[in-house]
Amino acid sequence: MSIDLGQERARAVRALDELLSGIAEARRDLEQALARLEGLLPMRVAWKRKTCGKAGCRCTRGALHGPYPYLIEHREGRKIERYLGRGWSPPEGMVAPERYRALMGEFRERRARLDRLLDRLDEAIEVMRRW
């Protein structure tokens, strides 16, 4: 049985297009969940994405880690950012805990979906390199 390389290439391109479309959609969903989460807090908390500095990590190709919470303060005309920690949640009484937990759960689910899609993209890139 022979393999039609043109047909296989077209199938691979369609699969990659669908994956990239899914990644773009997952990023939009994550940004929307993040906006809902930010709008819930009375203090200025920014959620930032970061690089880790490892040479082989996907963050070097643009898939940054995070987002992680930073408290934004302005003192004497300077902007100061303080990392709040990975498991940070707002102080008790500042926001309804069940609302915060629900929005944070939605955010984590969407972030996990994006991570899974990016892992699939990494796998596809590795397969293509070996081909």
Side-chain angles (χ1 to χ4, degrees), residues 1 10 23 29-30 39 43 57 69 87 89 93-94 98 112 115-116 122:
M1 178 175 178
I23 288 171
D29 288 348
L30 185 63
M43 58 188 181
C57 185
S89 62
M94 182 177 285
E98 48 294 325
D115 286 344
R116 285 191 304 271
D122 287 343

Side-chain angles (χ1 to χ4, degrees), residues 41-109:
L41 303 171
M43 58 188 181
R44 179 69 178 119
V45 174
W47 296 78
K48 297 186 169 226
R49 291 187 175 87
K50 301 286 184 175
T51 58
C52 67
K54 295 178 186 172
C57 185
R58 68 176 169 215
C59 68
T60 60
R61 296 189 306 270
L64 302 178
H65 300 285
Y68 301 111
Y70 287 81
L71 177 64
I72 308 297
E73 299 177 286
H74 293 276
R75 290 189 192 154
E76 300 170 6
R78 290 182 23 222
K79 181 174 150 182
I80 300 169
E81 297 179 359
R82 268 191 332 186
Y83 178 59
L84 295 172
R86 186 174 186 157
W88 179 82
S89 62
E92 194 172 323
M94 182 177 285
V95 68
E98 48 294 325
R99 176 86 173 124
Y100 177 79
R101 278 194 295 276
L103 288 174
M104 196 63 188
E106 175 189 0
F107 173 78
R108 286 185 182 126
E109 286 173 16

Side-chain angles (χ1 to χ4, degrees), residues 22-35:
I23 288 171
E25 179 185 333
R27 282 190 173 141
R28 282 190 304 273
D29 288 348
L30 185 63
E31 290 299 322
Q32 290 171 356
L34 182 57

